[in-house]
């Protein structure tokens, strides 16, 4: 029995070392869209690789503050696909093609081809970006993420991320809401302070319906939140008339239970024209 435990301990130690040794990579650069956009689009792409499969996040100063990235590493280079939850400025996805760089060559400047695509997948623009390739250690990457969730977050420092758990329908006047059709509902507090509700896994390749609820105040002095926004477009998971304006309202509280970050609250969607409202209770943990 002791021998079996010894083998198990060695296996777990090896697995832990493998996880800790996983490297994170980063591309930072800029590219031009067209003459109508005077300023270059400055972007940051951060990802991990496992079995030549790429997963990560993308952000820039023009299209999005945060979007999921998938792709793969091949002999000739890497392919990154950035998919937006919904079309932004007519663009639904961005493909970035980079030449191959050995992981040990950090700080190298490499050319990157950038292709924007519309909703059906047709290319809109093709341009080149000069980008700097950086290899980031897991410890440094963790520190960077912690820093991103510190400045301006007040008492909510360290609460950024995606929360998952229970969502229960309380009220649905007019039978116009069905958020529970989704296999997964996720609540996100991102590094910009935005709170989003996703009807699906956040990093799926397919388009993920999203409710952009609003932004927390700068440097909040309490873990209680009261976030409200207004949408005069169709809202995913509801049958409210698209032209009617809807109020998206989330109230609740972030807390720490033992060592787990937790959110509990109530989310409501109200049609301003008809007065119909649907309301959901949330109890979720930071994954």
């Amino acid at each position: 029995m002791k021998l079996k435990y010894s083998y198990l301990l060695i296996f777990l130690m090896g697995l832990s070392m493998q996880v800790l040794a996983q490297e994170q990579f980063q591309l930072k650069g800029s590219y031009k869209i067209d003459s109508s956009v005077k300023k270059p689009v400055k972007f940051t792409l951060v990802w991990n690789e496992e079995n030549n499969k790429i997963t990560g996040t993308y952000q820039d100063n023009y299209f999005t503050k945060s979007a999921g990235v998938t792709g793969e590493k091949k002999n000739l280079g890497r392919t990154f696909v950035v998919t937006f939850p919904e079309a932004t400025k007519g663009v639904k996805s961005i493909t970035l093609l980079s030449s191959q760089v050995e992981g040990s060559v950090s700080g190298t400047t490499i050319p990157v081809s950038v292709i924007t695509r519309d909703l059906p997948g047709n290319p809109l623009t093709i341009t080149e970006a000069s980008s700097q390739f950086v290899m980031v250690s897991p410890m440094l990457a963790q520190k960077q993420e912690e820093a991103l969730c510190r400045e301006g977050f007040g008492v909510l420092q360290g609460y950024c991320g995606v929360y998952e758990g229970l969502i229960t329908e309380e009220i649905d006047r007019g039978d116009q809401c069905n958020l529970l059709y989704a296999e997964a509902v996720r609540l996100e507090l991102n590094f910009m302070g935005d709170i989003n509700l996703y009807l699906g896994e956040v990093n799926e390749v397919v388009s993920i319906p999203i409710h952009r609820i609003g932004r927390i105040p700068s440097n909040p002095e309490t873990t209680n939140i009261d976030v409200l926004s207004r949408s005069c477009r169709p809202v995913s998971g509801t049958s409210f008339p698209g032209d009617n304006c809807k109020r998206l309202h989330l109230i609740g509280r972030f807390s720490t239970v033992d060592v787990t970050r937790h959110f509990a609250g109530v989310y409501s969607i109200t049609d301003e024209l008809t007065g119909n409202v649907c309301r959901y209770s949330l109890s979720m943990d930071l994954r």
Side-chain angles (χ1 to χ4, degrees), residues 202-227:
V202 175
N203 282 327
E204 289 181 355
V205 178
V206 298
S207 176
I208 308 164
I210 180 175
H211 292 197
R212 302 184 187 278
I213 302 173
R215 178 172 293 187
I216 63 172
S218 178
N219 291 308
E221 298 179 355
T222 173
T223 57
N224 295 323
I225 65 166
D226 189 335
V227 180

PDB file of all heavy atoms in Angstrom, residues 202-227:
ATOM      1  N   VAL A 202     -17.433  30.981 -22.065  1.00  0.00           N
ATOM      2  CA  VAL A 202     -16.865  32.250 -22.506  1.00  0.00           C
ATOM      3  C   VAL A 202     -15.877  32.091 -23.641  1.00  0.00           C
ATOM      4  O   VAL A 202     -15.785  32.930 -24.524  1.00  0.00           O
ATOM      5  CB  VAL A 202     -16.219  32.987 -21.318  1.00  0.00           C
ATOM      6  CG1 VAL A 202     -15.517  34.257 -21.779  1.00  0.00           C
ATOM      7  CG2 VAL A 202     -17.279  33.313 -20.282  1.00  0.00           C
ATOM      8  N   ASN A 203     -15.099  30.999 -23.681  1.00  0.00           N
ATOM      9  CA  ASN A 203     -14.055  30.861 -24.694  1.00  0.00           C
ATOM     10  C   ASN A 203     -14.422  29.887 -25.802  1.00  0.00           C
ATOM     11  O   ASN A 203     -13.561  29.302 -26.425  1.00  0.00           O
ATOM     12  CB  ASN A 203     -12.730  30.434 -24.052  1.00  0.00           C
ATOM     13  CG  ASN A 203     -12.049  31.610 -23.383  1.00  0.00           C
ATOM     14  OD1 ASN A 203     -12.150  32.736 -23.845  1.00  0.00           O
ATOM     15  ND2 ASN A 203     -11.368  31.360 -22.276  1.00  0.00           N
ATOM     16  N   GLU A 204     -15.701  29.673 -26.061  1.00  0.00           N
ATOM     17  CA  GLU A 204     -16.081  28.809 -27.171  1.00  0.00           C
ATOM     18  C   GLU A 204     -15.736  29.474 -28.496  1.00  0.00           C
ATOM     19  O   GLU A 204     -15.683  30.695 -28.615  1.00  0.00           O
ATOM     20  CB  GLU A 204     -17.582  28.519 -27.119  1.00  0.00           C
ATOM     21  CG  GLU A 204     -17.971  27.582 -25.965  1.00  0.00           C
ATOM     22  CD  GLU A 204     -19.452  27.305 -25.965  1.00  0.00           C
ATOM     23  OE1 GLU A 204     -20.165  27.911 -26.781  1.00  0.00           O
ATOM     24  OE2 GLU A 204     -19.904  26.494 -25.152  1.00  0.00           O
ATOM     25  N   VAL A 205     -15.510  28.657 -29.515  1.00  0.00           N
ATOM     26  CA  VAL A 205     -15.203  29.182 -30.849  1.00  0.00           C
ATOM     27  C   VAL A 205     -16.435  29.821 -31.468  1.00  0.00           C
ATOM     28  O   VAL A 205     -16.345  30.844 -32.159  1.00  0.00           O
ATOM     29  CB  VAL A 205     -14.669  28.060 -31.757  1.00  0.00           C
ATOM     30  CG1 VAL A 205     -14.386  28.585 -33.153  1.00  0.00           C
ATOM     31  CG2 VAL A 205     -13.403  27.449 -31.159  1.00  0.00           C
ATOM     32  N   VAL A 206     -17.610  29.230 -31.217  1.00  0.00           N
ATOM     33  CA  VAL A 206     -18.834  29.763 -31.798  1.00  0.00           C
ATOM     34  C   VAL A 206     -19.201  31.072 -31.124  1.00  0.00           C
ATOM     35  O   VAL A 206     -18.720  31.404 -30.049  1.00  0.00           O
ATOM     36  CB  VAL A 206     -19.990  28.753 -31.652  1.00  0.00           C
ATOM     37  CG1 VAL A 206     -19.687  27.479 -32.401  1.00  0.00           C
ATOM     38  CG2 VAL A 206     -20.254  28.445 -30.175  1.00  0.00           C
ATOM     39  N   SER A 207     -20.073  31.834 -31.802  1.00  0.00           N
ATOM     40  CA  SER A 207     -20.527  33.108 -31.256  1.00  0.00           C
ATOM     41  C   SER A 207     -21.295  32.876 -29.961  1.00  0.00           C
ATOM     42  O   SER A 207     -22.154  32.000 -29.872  1.00  0.00           O
ATOM     43  CB  SER A 207     -21.420  33.818 -32.278  1.00  0.00           C
ATOM     44  OG  SER A 207     -21.946  34.989 -31.741  1.00  0.00           O
ATOM     45  N   ILE A 208     -20.986  33.674 -28.940  1.00  0.00           N
ATOM     46  CA  ILE A 208     -21.607  33.513 -27.635  1.00  0.00           C
ATOM     47  C   ILE A 208     -22.523  34.696 -27.361  1.00  0.00           C
ATOM     48  O   ILE A 208     -22.068  35.836 -27.328  1.00  0.00           O
ATOM     49  CB  ILE A 208     -20.546  33.436 -26.525  1.00  0.00           C
ATOM     50  CG1 ILE A 208     -19.501  32.381 -26.862  1.00  0.00           C
ATOM     51  CG2 ILE A 208     -21.188  33.144 -25.179  1.00  0.00           C
ATOM     52  CD1 ILE A 208     -18.245  32.507 -26.050  1.00  0.00           C
ATOM     53  N   PRO A 209     -23.836  34.472 -27.183  1.00  0.00           N
ATOM     54  CA  PRO A 209     -24.725  35.581 -26.831  1.00  0.00           C
ATOM     55  C   PRO A 209     -24.273  36.234 -25.523  1.00  0.00           C
ATOM     56  O   PRO A 209     -23.872  35.549 -24.580  1.00  0.00           O
ATOM     57  CB  PRO A 209     -26.096  34.906 -26.673  1.00  0.00           C
ATOM     58  CG  PRO A 209     -25.991  33.644 -27.484  1.00  0.00           C
ATOM     59  CD  PRO A 209     -24.565  33.198 -27.345  1.00  0.00           C
ATOM     60  N   ILE A 210     -24.330  37.557 -25.484  1.00  0.00           N
ATOM     61  CA  ILE A 210     -23.813  38.285 -24.335  1.00  0.00           C
ATOM     62  C   ILE A 210     -24.758  39.411 -23.954  1.00  0.00           C
ATOM     63  O   ILE A 210     -25.347  40.062 -24.812  1.00  0.00           O
ATOM     64  CB  ILE A 210     -22.392  38.836 -24.639  1.00  0.00           C
ATOM     65  CG1 ILE A 210     -21.831  39.616 -23.448  1.00  0.00           C
ATOM     66  CG2 ILE A 210     -22.412  39.719 -25.869  1.00  0.00           C
ATOM     67  CD1 ILE A 210     -20.398  40.067 -23.643  1.00  0.00           C
ATOM     68  N   HIS A 211     -24.921  39.617 -22.647  1.00  0.00           N
ATOM     69  CA  HIS A 211     -25.624  40.772 -22.105  1.00  0.00           C
ATOM     70  C   HIS A 211     -24.565  41.679 -21.474  1.00  0.00           C
ATOM     71  O   HIS A 211     -23.916  41.307 -20.497  1.00  0.00           O
ATOM     72  CB  HIS A 211     -26.635  40.351 -21.038  1.00  0.00           C
ATOM     73  CG  HIS A 211     -27.791  39.562 -21.569  1.00  0.00           C
ATOM     74  ND1 HIS A 211     -28.954  39.383 -20.849  1.00  0.00           N
ATOM     75  CD2 HIS A 211     -27.976  38.913 -22.747  1.00  0.00           C
ATOM     76  CE1 HIS A 211     -29.798  38.648 -21.555  1.00  0.00           C
ATOM     77  NE2 HIS A 211     -29.222  38.351 -22.706  1.00  0.00           N
ATOM     78  N   ARG A 212     -24.404  42.888 -22.030  1.00  0.00           N
ATOM     79  CA  ARG A 212     -23.442  43.845 -21.483  1.00  0.00           C
ATOM     80  C   ARG A 212     -24.178  44.684 -20.439  1.00  0.00           C
ATOM     81  O   ARG A 212     -24.844  45.670 -20.762  1.00  0.00           O
ATOM     82  CB  ARG A 212     -22.853  44.701 -22.603  1.00  0.00           C
ATOM     83  CG  ARG A 212     -22.179  43.854 -23.681  1.00  0.00           C
ATOM     84  CD  ARG A 212     -21.512  44.705 -24.742  1.00  0.00           C
ATOM     85  NE  ARG A 212     -21.029  43.888 -25.842  1.00  0.00           N
ATOM     86  CZ  ARG A 212     -19.875  43.226 -25.838  1.00  0.00           C
ATOM     87  NH1 ARG A 212     -19.085  43.290 -24.772  1.00  0.00           N
ATOM     88  NH2 ARG A 212     -19.505  42.500 -26.883  1.00  0.00           N
ATOM     89  N   ILE A 213     -24.012  44.295 -19.178  1.00  0.00           N
ATOM     90  CA  ILE A 213     -24.837  44.872 -18.115  1.00  0.00           C
ATOM     91  C   ILE A 213     -24.354  46.258 -17.696  1.00  0.00           C
ATOM     92  O   ILE A 213     -25.150  47.141 -17.408  1.00  0.00           O
ATOM     93  CB  ILE A 213     -24.872  43.917 -16.901  1.00  0.00           C
ATOM     94  CG1 ILE A 213     -25.420  42.547 -17.339  1.00  0.00           C
ATOM     95  CG2 ILE A 213     -25.733  44.488 -15.797  1.00  0.00           C
ATOM     96  CD1 ILE A 213     -25.344  41.487 -16.262  1.00  0.00           C
ATOM     97  N   GLY A 214     -23.061  46.465 -17.666  1.00  0.00           N
ATOM     98  CA  GLY A 214     -22.558  47.769 -17.251  1.00  0.00           C
ATOM     99  C   GLY A 214     -21.192  47.677 -16.621  1.00  0.00           C
ATOM    100  O   GLY A 214     -20.502  46.654 -16.728  1.00  0.00           O
ATOM    101  N   ARG A 215     -20.781  48.733 -15.943  1.00  0.00           N
ATOM    102  CA  ARG A 215     -19.440  48.819 -15.367  1.00  0.00           C
ATOM    103  C   ARG A 215     -19.524  49.223 -13.899  1.00  0.00           C
ATOM    104  O   ARG A 215     -20.346  50.056 -13.514  1.00  0.00           O
ATOM    105  CB  ARG A 215     -18.599  49.834 -16.142  1.00  0.00           C
ATOM    106  CG  ARG A 215     -17.193  50.045 -15.590  1.00  0.00           C
ATOM    107  CD  ARG A 215     -16.364  50.912 -16.506  1.00  0.00           C
ATOM    108  NE  ARG A 215     -16.089  50.234 -17.770  1.00  0.00           N
ATOM    109  CZ  ARG A 215     -15.270  50.720 -18.712  1.00  0.00           C
ATOM    110  NH1 ARG A 215     -14.675  51.893 -18.534  1.00  0.00           N
ATOM    111  NH2 ARG A 215     -15.063  50.034 -19.827  1.00  0.00           N
ATOM    112  N   ILE A 216     -18.674  48.610 -13.082  1.00  0.00           N
ATOM    113  CA  ILE A 216     -18.632  48.970 -11.668  1.00  0.00           C
ATOM    114  C   ILE A 216     -18.041  50.375 -11.527  1.00  0.00           C
ATOM    115  O   ILE A 216     -17.283  50.833 -12.393  1.00  0.00           O
ATOM    116  CB  ILE A 216     -17.799  47.959 -10.854  1.00  0.00           C
ATOM    117  CG1 ILE A 216     -16.336  47.958 -11.322  1.00  0.00           C
ATOM    118  CG2 ILE A 216     -18.402  46.565 -10.928  1.00  0.00           C
ATOM    119  CD1 ILE A 216     -15.410  47.120 -10.442  1.00  0.00           C
ATOM    120  N   PRO A 217     -18.365  51.095 -10.449  1.00  0.00           N
ATOM    121  CA  PRO A 217     -17.775  52.422 -10.254  1.00  0.00           C
ATOM    122  C   PRO A 217     -16.273  52.307  -9.969  1.00  0.00           C
ATOM    123  O   PRO A 217     -15.780  51.263  -9.548  1.00  0.00           O
ATOM    124  CB  PRO A 217     -18.533  52.969  -9.045  1.00  0.00           C
ATOM    125  CG  PRO A 217     -19.031  51.755  -8.331  1.00  0.00           C
ATOM    126  CD  PRO A 217     -19.309  50.734  -9.390  1.00  0.00           C
ATOM    127  N   SER A 218     -15.553  53.382 -10.215  1.00  0.00           N
ATOM    128  CA  SER A 218     -14.114  53.382  -9.959  1.00  0.00           C
ATOM    129  C   SER A 218     -13.839  53.325  -8.462  1.00  0.00           C
ATOM    130  O   SER A 218     -14.475  54.044  -7.672  1.00  0.00           O
ATOM    131  CB  SER A 218     -13.494  54.648 -10.555  1.00  0.00           C
ATOM    132  OG  SER A 218     -12.113  54.706 -10.277  1.00  0.00           O
ATOM    133  N   ASN A 219     -12.915  52.440  -8.081  1.00  0.00           N
ATOM    134  CA  ASN A 219     -12.501  52.281  -6.691  1.00  0.00           C
ATOM    135  C   ASN A 219     -13.689  52.154  -5.730  1.00  0.00           C
ATOM    136  O   ASN A 219     -13.862  52.962  -4.815  1.00  0.00           O
ATOM    137  CB  ASN A 219     -11.615  53.457  -6.257  1.00  0.00           C
ATOM    138  CG  ASN A 219     -10.270  53.447  -6.935  1.00  0.00           C
ATOM    139  OD1 ASN A 219      -9.569  52.443  -6.920  1.00  0.00           O
ATOM    140  ND2 ASN A 219      -9.909  54.560  -7.546  1.00  0.00           N
ATOM    141  N   PRO A 220     -14.533  51.141  -5.932  1.00  0.00           N
ATOM    142  CA  PRO A 220     -15.688  50.973  -5.038  1.00  0.00           C
ATOM    143  C   PRO A 220     -15.239  50.728  -3.597  1.00  0.00           C
ATOM    144  O   PRO A 220     -14.205  50.103  -3.342  1.00  0.00           O
ATOM    145  CB  PRO A 220     -16.397  49.742  -5.618  1.00  0.00           C
ATOM    146  CG  PRO A 220     -15.326  48.989  -6.356  1.00  0.00           C
ATOM    147  CD  PRO A 220     -14.421  50.037  -6.911  1.00  0.00           C
ATOM    148  N   GLU A 221     -16.027  51.231  -2.668  1.00  0.00           N
ATOM    149  CA  GLU A 221     -15.709  51.096  -1.245  1.00  0.00           C
ATOM    150  C   GLU A 221     -16.510  49.984  -0.593  1.00  0.00           C
ATOM    151  O   GLU A 221     -16.418  49.762   0.614  1.00  0.00           O
ATOM    152  CB  GLU A 221     -15.956  52.422  -0.528  1.00  0.00           C
ATOM    153  CG  GLU A 221     -15.075  53.557  -1.040  1.00  0.00           C
ATOM    154  CD  GLU A 221     -15.348  54.871  -0.341  1.00  0.00           C
ATOM    155  OE1 GLU A 221     -16.294  54.911   0.479  1.00  0.00           O
ATOM    156  OE2 GLU A 221     -14.611  55.843  -0.600  1.00  0.00           O
ATOM    157  N   THR A 222     -17.329  49.289  -1.379  1.00  0.00           N
ATOM    158  CA  THR A 222     -18.108  48.168  -0.870  1.00  0.00           C
ATOM    159  C   THR A 222     -18.136  47.062  -1.908  1.00  0.00           C
ATOM    160  O   THR A 222     -18.009  47.339  -3.119  1.00  0.00           O
ATOM    161  CB  THR A 222     -19.550  48.605  -0.529  1.00  0.00           C
ATOM    162  OG1 THR A 222     -20.340  47.448  -0.184  1.00  0.00           O
ATOM    163  CG2 THR A 222     -20.200  49.294  -1.709  1.00  0.00           C
ATOM    164  N   THR A 223     -18.312  45.833  -1.474  1.00  0.00           N
ATOM    165  CA  THR A 223     -18.417  44.708  -2.400  1.00  0.00           C
ATOM    166  C   THR A 223     -19.838  44.557  -2.937  1.00  0.00           C
ATOM    167  O   THR A 223     -20.091  43.689  -3.764  1.00  0.00           O
ATOM    168  CB  THR A 223     -17.985  43.400  -1.736  1.00  0.00           C
ATOM    169  OG1 THR A 223     -18.782  43.171  -0.569  1.00  0.00           O
ATOM    170  CG2 THR A 223     -16.507  43.444  -1.341  1.00  0.00           C
ATOM    171  N   ASN A 224     -20.763  45.389  -2.465  1.00  0.00           N
ATOM    172  CA  ASN A 224     -22.113  45.404  -3.023  1.00  0.00           C
ATOM    173  C   ASN A 224     -22.096  46.182  -4.335  1.00  0.00           C
ATOM    174  O   ASN A 224     -21.447  47.235  -4.431  1.00  0.00           O
ATOM    175  CB  ASN A 224     -23.097  46.064  -2.061  1.00  0.00           C
ATOM    176  CG  ASN A 224     -23.252  45.281  -0.776  1.00  0.00           C
ATOM    177  OD1 ASN A 224     -23.234  44.062  -0.778  1.00  0.00           O
ATOM    178  ND2 ASN A 224     -23.400  45.987   0.336  1.00  0.00           N
ATOM    179  N   ILE A 225     -22.795  45.675  -5.341  1.00  0.00           N
ATOM    180  CA  ILE A 225     -22.848  46.369  -6.631  1.00  0.00           C
ATOM    181  C   ILE A 225     -24.289  46.620  -7.033  1.00  0.00           C
ATOM    182  O   ILE A 225     -25.211  45.884  -6.644  1.00  0.00           O
ATOM    183  CB  ILE A 225     -22.125  45.578  -7.739  1.00  0.00           C
ATOM    184  CG1 ILE A 225     -22.844  44.253  -8.019  1.00  0.00           C
ATOM    185  CG2 ILE A 225     -20.665  45.358  -7.400  1.00  0.00           C
ATOM    186  CD1 ILE A 225     -22.405  43.596  -9.309  1.00  0.00           C
ATOM    187  N   ASP A 226     -24.490  47.693  -7.794  1.00  0.00           N
ATOM    188  CA  ASP A 226     -25.787  48.039  -8.362  1.00  0.00           C
ATOM    189  C   ASP A 226     -25.482  48.619  -9.735  1.00  0.00           C
ATOM    190  O   ASP A 226     -25.166  49.800  -9.880  1.00  0.00           O
ATOM    191  CB  ASP A 226     -26.498  49.051  -7.476  1.00  0.00           C
ATOM    192  CG  ASP A 226     -27.949  49.286  -7.908  1.00  0.00           C
ATOM    193  OD1 ASP A 226     -28.253  49.069  -9.102  1.00  0.00           O
ATOM    194  OD2 ASP A 226     -28.772  49.678  -7.068  1.00  0.00           O
ATOM    195  N   VAL A 227     -25.554  47.770 -10.771  1.00  0.00           N
ATOM    196  CA  VAL A 227     -25.118  48.136 -12.116  1.00  0.00           C
ATOM    197  C   VAL A 227     -26.322  48.144 -13.050  1.00  0.00           C
ATOM    198  O   VAL A 227     -27.106  47.191 -13.084  1.00  0.00           O
ATOM    199  CB  VAL A 227     -24.046  47.159 -12.640  1.00  0.00           C
ATOM    200  CG1 VAL A 227     -23.602  47.553 -14.032  1.00  0.00           C
ATOM    201  CG2 VAL A 227     -22.848  47.132 -11.693  1.00  0.00           C
TER     202      VAL A 227
END
